Amino acid sequence: MKDIGEYDVRRGGDYIAEVVGPHFTVVVNLEERTCTCKMWQISGMPCVHVTAFVSRVRGLDVIDFVDTYFSIEKFRATYADTVKPMSSKDMWEKVDLPFIVGPPKTIRPRGRPKKKRIRDPNEKKRRHKYTRCKGFGHHRSSCKNPIAELSVHSASIEREGQSNTSRHPQVSDVGTPNPPVRNEEFSSQASIGSTGRMEGQPQRARRGNFQDRRL
């Protein structure tokens, strides 16, 4: 059953009222068992407008407005007489008809066949949600809201920056820091060879008359 709370009942008497729905207004008459939407008269079951009206009247039950066709008495009366048995189809008498009964002729309509189902006029439409900004009713080309993921990411970066500054003391508290080491100094260093001097560094001039040893 649909949500009857969406319907406004404006009573004009004890058994007649206007029922205002989200799309249109109908007139319900409980004495004549009629509704201008015609669903009650066609099916015999109270429509949503009748249910909304009956639910607001004290002492009435919607079961009392269901047609007697759906009652147990009518069901028993339908099968009260004897149901005649019938043999199988192979034993039926064959009859030669002067004409051939073929399938009904169908004409395919123009255009592409419809694939979407026909929605009920009272059915609620699903709202599209854009995943980046978490908003409803628009797409990427028409989105004007800030991206929720980036805002959360920037807030986390700011929190990390504040925690780092509080974790490391200022330079004035511990003295002058050591100068940063360049990558060129690491590349110029090498392992000590058999001659006892560092390879990769420029050779210094030696004092005295001793000649440099060459490898």
Side-chain angles (χ1 to χ4, degrees):
M1 181 62 66
K2 299 178 181 178
D3 188 8
I4 60 176
E6 299 179 355
Y7 295 86
D8 184 20
V9 179
R10 301 173 182 175
R11 297 181 61 178
D14 294 338
Y15 299 100
I16 189 170
E18 291 182 357
V19 181
V20 181
H23 301 285
F24 48 85
T25 303
V26 297
V27 178
V28 177
N29 193 329
L30 298 181
E31 288 183 342
E32 299 179 359
R33 293 178 175 267
T34 58
C35 179
T36 53
C37 72
K38 305 296 183 182
M39 292 299 297
W40 192 13
Q41 296 89 303
I42 295 173
S43 64
M45 299 289 292
C47 58
V48 63
H49 312 106
V50 178
T51 306
F53 183 19
V54 173
S55 63
R56 288 169 172 81
V57 179
R58 183 176 298 179
L60 296 182
D61 190 0
V62 71
I63 301 297
D64 299 333
F65 297 93
V66 179
D67 194 90
T68 56
Y69 171 80
F70 300 98
S71 62
I72 299 177
E73 291 78 9
K74 293 293 183 179
F75 179 80
R76 291 176 178 174
T78 303
Y79 296 97
D81 298 334
T82 304
V83 179
K84 295 182 179 181
M86 185 174 57
S87 59
S88 62
K89 186 177 180 180
D90 300 334
M91 301 179 66
W92 290 359
E93 184 180 356
K94 295 182 180 181
V95 179
D96 295 332
L97 298 176
F99 54 88
I100 299 175
V101 180
K105 295 182 179 180
T106 57
I107 300 176
R108 183 176 181 180
R110 296 181 180 179
R112 183 175 297 177
K114 294 182 179 180
K115 295 183 179 180
K116 294 184 179 179
R117 63 180 179 87
I118 300 175
R119 296 181 178 271
D120 189 88
N122 299 326
E123 183 178 357
K124 294 182 178 180
K125 295 182 178 180
R126 298 182 60 184
R127 301 177 62 186
H128 174 73
K129 184 177 181 181
Y130 186 36
T131 56
R132 297 187 67 185
C133 69
K134 310 300 181 183
F136 292 92
H138 61 271
H139 298 275
R140 181 176 182 179
S141 58
S142 60
C143 180
K144 298 181 181 179
N145 300 328
I147 301 176
E149 298 178 356
L150 296 180
S151 60
V152 174
H153 182 65
S154 59
S156 62
I157 293 177
E158 292 180 359
R159 289 195 298 268
E160 290 180 359
Q162 294 176 1
S163 61
N164 292 335
T165 53
S166 60
R167 189 182 305 169
H168 299 287
Q170 299 294 331
V171 178
S172 59
D173 297 338
V174 296
T176 304
N178 296 325
V181 181
R182 300 179 181 177
N183 295 332
E184 297 177 358
E185 296 181 5
F186 287 101
S187 61
S188 62
Q189 295 180 359
S191 59
I192 302 175
S194 60
T195 56
R197 59 186 176 85
M198 297 291 292
E199 296 180 357
Q201 293 183 351
Q203 187 176 0
R204 299 179 180 177
R206 297 177 178 234
R207 297 180 181 180
N209 296 329
F210 298 97
Q211 296 181 355
D212 296 338
R213 297 180 181 180
R214 295 182 180 179
L215 296 175

PDB file of all heavy atoms in Angstrom, residues 121-157:
ATOM      1  N   PRO A 121       2.041   7.211 -11.765  1.00  0.00           N
ATOM      2  CA  PRO A 121       2.080   8.666 -11.521  1.00  0.00           C
ATOM      3  C   PRO A 121       2.364   9.034 -10.078  1.00  0.00           C
ATOM      4  O   PRO A 121       2.858  10.130  -9.808  1.00  0.00           O
ATOM      5  CB  PRO A 121       0.681   9.130 -11.946  1.00  0.00           C
ATOM      6  CG  PRO A 121      -0.167   7.907 -11.928  1.00  0.00           C
ATOM      7  CD  PRO A 121       0.744   6.768 -12.285  1.00  0.00           C
ATOM      8  N   ASN A 122       2.091   8.141  -9.126  1.00  0.00           N
ATOM      9  CA  ASN A 122       2.359   8.416  -7.709  1.00  0.00           C
ATOM     10  C   ASN A 122       3.694   7.853  -7.239  1.00  0.00           C
ATOM     11  O   ASN A 122       4.004   7.919  -6.048  1.00  0.00           O
ATOM     12  CB  ASN A 122       1.240   7.835  -6.842  1.00  0.00           C
ATOM     13  CG  ASN A 122      -0.103   8.447  -7.160  1.00  0.00           C
ATOM     14  OD1 ASN A 122      -0.186   9.619  -7.496  1.00  0.00           O
ATOM     15  ND2 ASN A 122      -1.159   7.651  -7.087  1.00  0.00           N
ATOM     16  N   GLU A 123       4.478   7.295  -8.139  1.00  0.00           N
ATOM     17  CA  GLU A 123       5.754   6.691  -7.761  1.00  0.00           C
ATOM     18  C   GLU A 123       6.813   7.778  -7.568  1.00  0.00           C
ATOM     19  O   GLU A 123       6.908   8.720  -8.348  1.00  0.00           O
ATOM     20  CB  GLU A 123       6.212   5.713  -8.836  1.00  0.00           C
ATOM     21  CG  GLU A 123       7.508   4.976  -8.502  1.00  0.00           C
ATOM     22  CD  GLU A 123       7.894   3.986  -9.573  1.00  0.00           C
ATOM     23  OE1 GLU A 123       7.111   3.843 -10.538  1.00  0.00           O
ATOM     24  OE2 GLU A 123       8.950   3.361  -9.452  1.00  0.00           O
ATOM     25  N   LYS A 124       7.601   7.627  -6.533  1.00  0.00           N
ATOM     26  CA  LYS A 124       8.658   8.589  -6.243  1.00  0.00           C
ATOM     27  C   LYS A 124       9.841   8.353  -7.171  1.00  0.00           C
ATOM     28  O   LYS A 124      10.231   7.216  -7.417  1.00  0.00           O
ATOM     29  CB  LYS A 124       9.113   8.471  -4.783  1.00  0.00           C
ATOM     30  CG  LYS A 124       8.054   8.865  -3.767  1.00  0.00           C
ATOM     31  CD  LYS A 124       8.604   8.771  -2.356  1.00  0.00           C
ATOM     32  CE  LYS A 124       7.575   9.194  -1.332  1.00  0.00           C
ATOM     33  NZ  LYS A 124       8.098   9.104   0.064  1.00  0.00           N
ATOM     34  N   LYS A 125      10.390   9.441  -7.668  1.00  0.00           N
ATOM     35  CA  LYS A 125      11.538   9.351  -8.547  1.00  0.00           C
ATOM     36  C   LYS A 125      12.822   9.283  -7.720  1.00  0.00           C
ATOM     37  O   LYS A 125      12.968   9.966  -6.714  1.00  0.00           O
ATOM     38  CB  LYS A 125      11.589  10.555  -9.488  1.00  0.00           C
ATOM     39  CG  LYS A 125      10.421  10.615 -10.456  1.00  0.00           C
ATOM     40  CD  LYS A 125      10.573  11.800 -11.394  1.00  0.00           C
ATOM     41  CE  LYS A 125       9.438  11.852 -12.385  1.00  0.00           C
ATOM     42  NZ  LYS A 125       9.568  13.007 -13.318  1.00  0.00           N
ATOM     43  N   ARG A 126      13.751   8.480  -8.190  1.00  0.00           N
ATOM     44  CA  ARG A 126      15.047   8.362  -7.525  1.00  0.00           C
ATOM     45  C   ARG A 126      15.926   9.543  -7.881  1.00  0.00           C
ATOM     46  O   ARG A 126      16.058   9.918  -9.040  1.00  0.00           O
ATOM     47  CB  ARG A 126      15.728   7.055  -7.920  1.00  0.00           C
ATOM     48  CG  ARG A 126      14.958   5.806  -7.509  1.00  0.00           C
ATOM     49  CD  ARG A 126      15.700   4.553  -7.893  1.00  0.00           C
ATOM     50  NE  ARG A 126      17.002   4.482  -7.253  1.00  0.00           N
ATOM     51  CZ  ARG A 126      17.897   3.520  -7.468  1.00  0.00           C
ATOM     52  NH1 ARG A 126      17.603   2.555  -8.319  1.00  0.00           N
ATOM     53  NH2 ARG A 126      19.041   3.524  -6.844  1.00  0.00           N
ATOM     54  N   ARG A 127      16.535  10.130  -6.894  1.00  0.00           N
ATOM     55  CA  ARG A 127      17.396  11.297  -7.102  1.00  0.00           C
ATOM     56  C   ARG A 127      18.821  10.845  -7.402  1.00  0.00           C
ATOM     57  O   ARG A 127      19.355   9.958  -6.742  1.00  0.00           O
ATOM     58  CB  ARG A 127      17.375  12.195  -5.867  1.00  0.00           C
ATOM     59  CG  ARG A 127      16.000  12.717  -5.498  1.00  0.00           C
ATOM     60  CD  ARG A 127      16.051  13.537  -4.243  1.00  0.00           C
ATOM     61  NE  ARG A 127      16.898  14.718  -4.414  1.00  0.00           N
ATOM     62  CZ  ARG A 127      17.210  15.561  -3.430  1.00  0.00           C
ATOM     63  NH1 ARG A 127      16.762  15.326  -2.199  1.00  0.00           N
ATOM     64  NH2 ARG A 127      17.974  16.616  -3.659  1.00  0.00           N
ATOM     65  N   HIS A 128      19.409  11.481  -8.425  1.00  0.00           N
ATOM     66  CA  HIS A 128      20.775  11.141  -8.812  1.00  0.00           C
ATOM     67  C   HIS A 128      21.757  11.806  -7.855  1.00  0.00           C
ATOM     68  O   HIS A 128      21.651  13.002  -7.566  1.00  0.00           O
ATOM     69  CB  HIS A 128      21.043  11.606 -10.246  1.00  0.00           C
ATOM     70  CG  HIS A 128      22.468  11.427 -10.670  1.00  0.00           C
ATOM     71  ND1 HIS A 128      23.011  10.190 -10.941  1.00  0.00           N
ATOM     72  CD2 HIS A 128      23.464  12.332 -10.849  1.00  0.00           C
ATOM     73  CE1 HIS A 128      24.287  10.347 -11.271  1.00  0.00           C
ATOM     74  NE2 HIS A 128      24.577  11.635 -11.225  1.00  0.00           N
ATOM     75  N   LYS A 129      22.734  11.037  -7.367  1.00  0.00           N
ATOM     76  CA  LYS A 129      23.744  11.532  -6.445  1.00  0.00           C
ATOM     77  C   LYS A 129      25.093  11.552  -7.126  1.00  0.00           C
ATOM     78  O   LYS A 129      25.547  10.535  -7.654  1.00  0.00           O
ATOM     79  CB  LYS A 129      23.794  10.649  -5.193  1.00  0.00           C
ATOM     80  CG  LYS A 129      24.766  11.156  -4.135  1.00  0.00           C
ATOM     81  CD  LYS A 129      24.717  10.281  -2.896  1.00  0.00           C
ATOM     82  CE  LYS A 129      25.659  10.792  -1.814  1.00  0.00           C
ATOM     83  NZ  LYS A 129      25.618   9.927  -0.615  1.00  0.00           N
ATOM     84  N   TYR A 130      25.716  12.744  -7.142  1.00  0.00           N
ATOM     85  CA  TYR A 130      27.046  12.888  -7.732  1.00  0.00           C
ATOM     86  C   TYR A 130      28.083  12.459  -6.706  1.00  0.00           C
ATOM     87  O   TYR A 130      28.133  12.983  -5.591  1.00  0.00           O
ATOM     88  CB  TYR A 130      27.267  14.335  -8.157  1.00  0.00           C
ATOM     89  CG  TYR A 130      28.562  14.562  -8.916  1.00  0.00           C
ATOM     90  CD1 TYR A 130      29.054  13.611  -9.790  1.00  0.00           C
ATOM     91  CD2 TYR A 130      29.291  15.730  -8.764  1.00  0.00           C
ATOM     92  CE1 TYR A 130      30.221  13.809 -10.475  1.00  0.00           C
ATOM     93  CE2 TYR A 130      30.466  15.950  -9.453  1.00  0.00           C
ATOM     94  CZ  TYR A 130      30.929  14.991 -10.305  1.00  0.00           C
ATOM     95  OH  TYR A 130      32.091  15.188 -10.979  1.00  0.00           O
ATOM     96  N   THR A 131      28.934  11.515  -7.069  1.00  0.00           N
ATOM     97  CA  THR A 131      29.816  10.876  -6.091  1.00  0.00           C
ATOM     98  C   THR A 131      30.945  11.774  -5.608  1.00  0.00           C
ATOM     99  O   THR A 131      31.468  11.573  -4.525  1.00  0.00           O
ATOM    100  CB  THR A 131      30.412   9.592  -6.699  1.00  0.00           C
ATOM    101  OG1 THR A 131      31.094   9.923  -7.932  1.00  0.00           O
ATOM    102  CG2 THR A 131      29.309   8.583  -6.994  1.00  0.00           C
ATOM    103  N   ARG A 132      31.358  12.784  -6.389  1.00  0.00           N
ATOM    104  CA  ARG A 132      32.510  13.598  -5.989  1.00  0.00           C
ATOM    105  C   ARG A 132      32.157  14.614  -4.910  1.00  0.00           C
ATOM    106  O   ARG A 132      32.871  14.754  -3.928  1.00  0.00           O
ATOM    107  CB  ARG A 132      33.094  14.307  -7.208  1.00  0.00           C
ATOM    108  CG  ARG A 132      33.647  13.344  -8.255  1.00  0.00           C
ATOM    109  CD  ARG A 132      34.371  14.091  -9.355  1.00  0.00           C
ATOM    110  NE  ARG A 132      35.571  14.734  -8.873  1.00  0.00           N
ATOM    111  CZ  ARG A 132      36.342  15.534  -9.601  1.00  0.00           C
ATOM    112  NH1 ARG A 132      36.002  15.774 -10.855  1.00  0.00           N
ATOM    113  NH2 ARG A 132      37.423  16.089  -9.112  1.00  0.00           N
ATOM    114  N   CYS A 133      31.044  15.328  -5.100  1.00  0.00           N
ATOM    115  CA  CYS A 133      30.652  16.344  -4.121  1.00  0.00           C
ATOM    116  C   CYS A 133      29.558  15.860  -3.176  1.00  0.00           C
ATOM    117  O   CYS A 133      29.148  16.603  -2.281  1.00  0.00           O
ATOM    118  CB  CYS A 133      30.185  17.610  -4.829  1.00  0.00           C
ATOM    119  SG  CYS A 133      28.625  17.415  -5.720  1.00  0.00           S
ATOM    120  N   LYS A 134      29.049  14.637  -3.411  1.00  0.00           N
ATOM    121  CA  LYS A 134      27.986  14.050  -2.593  1.00  0.00           C
ATOM    122  C   LYS A 134      26.687  14.849  -2.675  1.00  0.00           C
ATOM    123  O   LYS A 134      25.857  14.793  -1.769  1.00  0.00           O
ATOM    124  CB  LYS A 134      28.421  13.938  -1.114  1.00  0.00           C
ATOM    125  CG  LYS A 134      29.773  13.291  -0.898  1.00  0.00           C
ATOM    126  CD  LYS A 134      29.841  11.883  -1.438  1.00  0.00           C
ATOM    127  CE  LYS A 134      31.211  11.256  -1.189  1.00  0.00           C
ATOM    128  NZ  LYS A 134      31.331   9.909  -1.769  1.00  0.00           N
ATOM    129  N   GLY A 135      26.485  15.591  -3.765  1.00  0.00           N
ATOM    130  CA  GLY A 135      25.265  16.362  -3.944  1.00  0.00           C
ATOM    131  C   GLY A 135      24.267  15.628  -4.827  1.00  0.00           C
ATOM    132  O   GLY A 135      24.579  14.611  -5.450  1.00  0.00           O
ATOM    133  N   PHE A 136      23.051  16.168  -4.905  1.00  0.00           N
ATOM    134  CA  PHE A 136      21.977  15.531  -5.650  1.00  0.00           C
ATOM    135  C   PHE A 136      21.532  16.434  -6.798  1.00  0.00           C
ATOM    136  O   PHE A 136      21.619  17.657  -6.724  1.00  0.00           O
ATOM    137  CB  PHE A 136      20.771  15.258  -4.741  1.00  0.00           C
ATOM    138  CG  PHE A 136      21.023  14.212  -3.686  1.00  0.00           C
ATOM    139  CD1 PHE A 136      21.473  14.580  -2.433  1.00  0.00           C
ATOM    140  CD2 PHE A 136      20.809  12.874  -3.950  1.00  0.00           C
ATOM    141  CE1 PHE A 136      21.709  13.628  -1.456  1.00  0.00           C
ATOM    142  CE2 PHE A 136      21.034  11.908  -2.981  1.00  0.00           C
ATOM    143  CZ  PHE A 136      21.484  12.290  -1.740  1.00  0.00           C
ATOM    144  N   GLY A 137      21.082  15.816  -7.879  1.00  0.00           N
ATOM    145  CA  GLY A 137      20.423  16.531  -8.960  1.00  0.00           C
ATOM    146  C   GLY A 137      21.326  17.167  -9.988  1.00  0.00           C
ATOM    147  O   GLY A 137      20.874  18.000 -10.756  1.00  0.00           O
ATOM    148  N   HIS A 138      22.608  16.816 -10.052  1.00  0.00           N
ATOM    149  CA  HIS A 138      23.489  17.379 -11.073  1.00  0.00           C
ATOM    150  C   HIS A 138      24.598  16.393 -11.385  1.00  0.00           C
ATOM    151  O   HIS A 138      24.761  15.379 -10.710  1.00  0.00           O
ATOM    152  CB  HIS A 138      24.071  18.721 -10.615  1.00  0.00           C
ATOM    153  CG  HIS A 138      24.896  18.621  -9.360  1.00  0.00           C
ATOM    154  ND1 HIS A 138      24.337  18.739  -8.105  1.00  0.00           N
ATOM    155  CD2 HIS A 138      26.214  18.386  -9.171  1.00  0.00           C
ATOM    156  CE1 HIS A 138      25.288  18.607  -7.203  1.00  0.00           C
ATOM    157  NE2 HIS A 138      26.428  18.377  -7.817  1.00  0.00           N
ATOM    158  N   HIS A 139      25.380  16.732 -12.450  1.00  0.00           N
ATOM    159  CA  HIS A 139      26.473  15.893 -12.902  1.00  0.00           C
ATOM    160  C   HIS A 139      27.779  16.686 -12.833  1.00  0.00           C
ATOM    161  O   HIS A 139      27.845  17.771 -12.246  1.00  0.00           O
ATOM    162  CB  HIS A 139      26.212  15.393 -14.324  1.00  0.00           C
ATOM    163  CG  HIS A 139      24.982  14.542 -14.444  1.00  0.00           C
ATOM    164  ND1 HIS A 139      24.978  13.191 -14.186  1.00  0.00           N
ATOM    165  CD2 HIS A 139      23.707  14.860 -14.779  1.00  0.00           C
ATOM    166  CE1 HIS A 139      23.771  12.709 -14.362  1.00  0.00           C
ATOM    167  NE2 HIS A 139      22.964  13.707 -14.721  1.00  0.00           N
ATOM    168  N   ARG A 140      28.811  16.134 -13.472  1.00  0.00           N
ATOM    169  CA  ARG A 140      30.125  16.754 -13.402  1.00  0.00           C
ATOM    170  C   ARG A 140      30.160  18.098 -14.123  1.00  0.00           C
ATOM    171  O   ARG A 140      30.794  19.039 -13.648  1.00  0.00           O
ATOM    172  CB  ARG A 140      31.164  15.805 -14.019  1.00  0.00           C
ATOM    173  CG  ARG A 140      32.582  16.346 -13.984  1.00  0.00           C
ATOM    174  CD  ARG A 140      33.560  15.329 -14.517  1.00  0.00           C
ATOM    175  NE  ARG A 140      34.927  15.809 -14.448  1.00  0.00           N
ATOM    176  CZ  ARG A 140      35.990  15.128 -14.835  1.00  0.00           C
ATOM    177  NH1 ARG A 140      35.826  13.898 -15.321  1.00  0.00           N
ATOM    178  NH2 ARG A 140      37.196  15.635 -14.731  1.00  0.00           N
ATOM    179  N   SER A 141      29.463  18.208 -15.261  1.00  0.00           N
ATOM    180  CA  SER A 141      29.515  19.442 -16.032  1.00  0.00           C
ATOM    181  C   SER A 141      28.787  20.588 -15.339  1.00  0.00           C
ATOM    182  O   SER A 141      29.161  21.751 -15.517  1.00  0.00           O
ATOM    183  CB  SER A 141      28.906  19.206 -17.418  1.00  0.00           C
ATOM    184  OG  SER A 141      27.562  18.744 -17.294  1.00  0.00           O
ATOM    185  N   SER A 142      27.768  20.290 -14.560  1.00  0.00           N
ATOM    186  CA  SER A 142      26.992  21.334 -13.897  1.00  0.00           C
ATOM    187  C   SER A 142      27.260  21.428 -12.405  1.00  0.00           C
ATOM    188  O   SER A 142      26.544  22.142 -11.700  1.00  0.00           O
ATOM    189  CB  SER A 142      25.493  21.079 -14.125  1.00  0.00           C
ATOM    190  OG  SER A 142      25.118  19.809 -13.603  1.00  0.00           O
ATOM    191  N   CYS A 143      28.276  20.740 -11.894  1.00  0.00           N
ATOM    192  CA  CYS A 143      28.570  20.756 -10.457  1.00  0.00           C
ATOM    193  C   CYS A 143      29.296  22.042 -10.086  1.00  0.00           C
ATOM    194  O   CYS A 143      30.288  22.409 -10.717  1.00  0.00           O
ATOM    195  CB  CYS A 143      29.411  19.530 -10.076  1.00  0.00           C
ATOM    196  SG  CYS A 143      29.813  19.470  -8.310  1.00  0.00           S
ATOM    197  N   LYS A 144      28.805  22.737  -9.074  1.00  0.00           N
ATOM    198  CA  LYS A 144      29.422  23.959  -8.565  1.00  0.00           C
ATOM    199  C   LYS A 144      29.818  23.843  -7.100  1.00  0.00           C
ATOM    200  O   LYS A 144      30.267  24.820  -6.514  1.00  0.00           O
ATOM    201  CB  LYS A 144      28.447  25.130  -8.727  1.00  0.00           C
ATOM    202  CG  LYS A 144      28.087  25.432 -10.174  1.00  0.00           C
ATOM    203  CD  LYS A 144      27.144  26.610 -10.269  1.00  0.00           C
ATOM    204  CE  LYS A 144      26.778  26.893 -11.717  1.00  0.00           C
ATOM    205  NZ  LYS A 144      25.835  28.047 -11.834  1.00  0.00           N
ATOM    206  N   ASN A 145      29.659  22.684  -6.508  1.00  0.00           N
ATOM    207  CA  ASN A 145      29.991  22.467  -5.107  1.00  0.00           C
ATOM    208  C   ASN A 145      31.449  22.042  -4.971  1.00  0.00           C
ATOM    209  O   ASN A 145      32.025  21.457  -5.888  1.00  0.00           O
ATOM    210  CB  ASN A 145      29.089  21.395  -4.495  1.00  0.00           C
ATOM    211  CG  ASN A 145      27.622  21.764  -4.566  1.00  0.00           C
ATOM    212  OD1 ASN A 145      27.280  22.939  -4.504  1.00  0.00           O
ATOM    213  ND2 ASN A 145      26.761  20.765  -4.700  1.00  0.00           N
ATOM    214  N   PRO A 146      32.090  22.337  -3.844  1.00  0.00           N
ATOM    215  CA  PRO A 146      33.469  21.866  -3.636  1.00  0.00           C
ATOM    216  C   PRO A 146      33.510  20.359  -3.506  1.00  0.00           C
ATOM    217  O   PRO A 146      32.565  19.737  -3.022  1.00  0.00           O
ATOM    218  CB  PRO A 146      33.885  22.549  -2.320  1.00  0.00           C
ATOM    219  CG  PRO A 146      32.595  22.812  -1.618  1.00  0.00           C
ATOM    220  CD  PRO A 146      31.590  23.116  -2.698  1.00  0.00           C
ATOM    221  N   ILE A 147      34.596  19.780  -3.970  1.00  0.00           N
ATOM    222  CA  ILE A 147      34.745  18.332  -3.931  1.00  0.00           C
ATOM    223  C   ILE A 147      34.957  17.896  -2.497  1.00  0.00           C
ATOM    224  O   ILE A 147      35.831  18.404  -1.797  1.00  0.00           O
ATOM    225  CB  ILE A 147      35.912  17.879  -4.823  1.00  0.00           C
ATOM    226  CG1 ILE A 147      35.665  18.338  -6.269  1.00  0.00           C
ATOM    227  CG2 ILE A 147      36.080  16.369  -4.768  1.00  0.00           C
ATOM    228  CD1 ILE A 147      36.806  18.032  -7.196  1.00  0.00           C
ATOM    229  N   ALA A 148      34.151  16.967  -2.030  1.00  0.00           N
ATOM    230  CA  ALA A 148      34.213  16.545  -0.633  1.00  0.00           C
ATOM    231  C   ALA A 148      35.511  15.822  -0.328  1.00  0.00           C
ATOM    232  O   ALA A 148      36.086  15.963   0.740  1.00  0.00           O
ATOM    233  CB  ALA A 148      33.010  15.646  -0.305  1.00  0.00           C
ATOM    234  N   GLU A 149      36.018  15.033  -1.281  1.00  0.00           N
ATOM    235  CA  GLU A 149      37.241  14.254  -1.037  1.00  0.00           C
ATOM    236  C   GLU A 149      38.449  15.174  -0.868  1.00  0.00           C
ATOM    237  O   GLU A 149      39.282  14.986   0.003  1.00  0.00           O
ATOM    238  CB  GLU A 149      37.466  13.279  -2.183  1.00  0.00           C
ATOM    239  CG  GLU A 149      36.340  12.264  -2.330  1.00  0.00           C
ATOM    240  CD  GLU A 149      36.580  11.355  -3.510  1.00  0.00           C
ATOM    241  OE1 GLU A 149      37.579  11.600  -4.213  1.00  0.00           O
ATOM    242  OE2 GLU A 149      35.792  10.423  -3.701  1.00  0.00           O
ATOM    243  N   LEU A 150      38.537  16.243  -1.715  1.00  0.00           N
ATOM    244  CA  LEU A 150      39.672  17.148  -1.621  1.00  0.00           C
ATOM    245  C   LEU A 150      39.629  17.966  -0.343  1.00  0.00           C
ATOM    246  O   LEU A 150      40.656  18.257   0.258  1.00  0.00           O
ATOM    247  CB  LEU A 150      39.700  18.075  -2.845  1.00  0.00           C
ATOM    248  CG  LEU A 150      39.927  17.381  -4.187  1.00  0.00           C
ATOM    249  CD1 LEU A 150      39.931  18.413  -5.306  1.00  0.00           C
ATOM    250  CD2 LEU A 150      41.242  16.624  -4.179  1.00  0.00           C
ATOM    251  N   SER A 151      38.445  18.391   0.086  1.00  0.00           N
ATOM    252  CA  SER A 151      38.339  19.169   1.312  1.00  0.00           C
ATOM    253  C   SER A 151      38.771  18.352   2.515  1.00  0.00           C
ATOM    254  O   SER A 151      39.456  18.836   3.406  1.00  0.00           O
ATOM    255  CB  SER A 151      36.899  19.657   1.489  1.00  0.00           C
ATOM    256  OG  SER A 151      36.022  18.552   1.561  1.00  0.00           O
ATOM    257  N   VAL A 152      38.389  17.079   2.546  1.00  0.00           N
ATOM    258  CA  VAL A 152      38.814  16.216   3.647  1.00  0.00           C
ATOM    259  C   VAL A 152      40.314  15.976   3.592  1.00  0.00           C
ATOM    260  O   VAL A 152      41.004  15.965   4.616  1.00  0.00           O
ATOM    261  CB  VAL A 152      38.035  14.881   3.574  1.00  0.00           C
ATOM    262  CG1 VAL A 152      38.563  13.896   4.606  1.00  0.00           C
ATOM    263  CG2 VAL A 152      36.548  15.134   3.780  1.00  0.00           C
ATOM    264  N   HIS A 153      40.861  15.824   2.353  1.00  0.00           N
ATOM    265  CA  HIS A 153      42.294  15.595   2.213  1.00  0.00           C
ATOM    266  C   HIS A 153      43.091  16.812   2.651  1.00  0.00           C
ATOM    267  O   HIS A 153      44.118  16.693   3.321  1.00  0.00           O
ATOM    268  CB  HIS A 153      42.603  15.238   0.762  1.00  0.00           C
ATOM    269  CG  HIS A 153      44.052  14.927   0.514  1.00  0.00           C
ATOM    270  ND1 HIS A 153      44.680  13.831   1.079  1.00  0.00           N
ATOM    271  CD2 HIS A 153      44.997  15.573  -0.219  1.00  0.00           C
ATOM    272  CE1 HIS A 153      45.947  13.813   0.704  1.00  0.00           C
ATOM    273  NE2 HIS A 153      46.157  14.866  -0.090  1.00  0.00           N
ATOM    274  N   SER A 154      42.649  18.027   2.284  1.00  0.00           N
ATOM    275  CA  SER A 154      43.364  19.236   2.675  1.00  0.00           C
ATOM    276  C   SER A 154      43.309  19.443   4.171  1.00  0.00           C
ATOM    277  O   SER A 154      44.271  19.898   4.786  1.00  0.00           O
ATOM    278  CB  SER A 154      42.753  20.440   1.957  1.00  0.00           C
ATOM    279  OG  SER A 154      41.379  20.570   2.295  1.00  0.00           O
ATOM    280  N   ALA A 155      42.172  19.105   4.793  1.00  0.00           N
ATOM    281  CA  ALA A 155      42.074  19.240   6.242  1.00  0.00           C
ATOM    282  C   ALA A 155      43.030  18.287   6.946  1.00  0.00           C
ATOM    283  O   ALA A 155      43.658  18.638   7.948  1.00  0.00           O
ATOM    284  CB  ALA A 155      40.635  18.976   6.692  1.00  0.00           C
ATOM    285  N   SER A 156      43.193  17.071   6.412  1.00  0.00           N
ATOM    286  CA  SER A 156      44.130  16.123   7.019  1.00  0.00           C
ATOM    287  C   SER A 156      45.564  16.595   6.857  1.00  0.00           C
ATOM    288  O   SER A 156      46.397  16.421   7.748  1.00  0.00           O
ATOM    289  CB  SER A 156      43.941  14.744   6.386  1.00  0.00           C
ATOM    290  OG  SER A 156      44.218  14.787   4.994  1.00  0.00           O
ATOM    291  N   ILE A 157      45.891  17.248   5.712  1.00  0.00           N
ATOM    292  CA  ILE A 157      47.250  17.774   5.508  1.00  0.00           C
ATOM    293  C   ILE A 157      47.549  18.882   6.504  1.00  0.00           C
ATOM    294  O   ILE A 157      48.648  18.975   7.065  1.00  0.00           O
ATOM    295  CB  ILE A 157      47.414  18.261   4.060  1.00  0.00           C
ATOM    296  CG1 ILE A 157      47.357  17.058   3.105  1.00  0.00           C
ATOM    297  CG2 ILE A 157      48.726  19.017   3.877  1.00  0.00           C
ATOM    298  CD1 ILE A 157      47.427  17.446   1.650  1.00  0.00           C
TER     299      ILE A 157
END
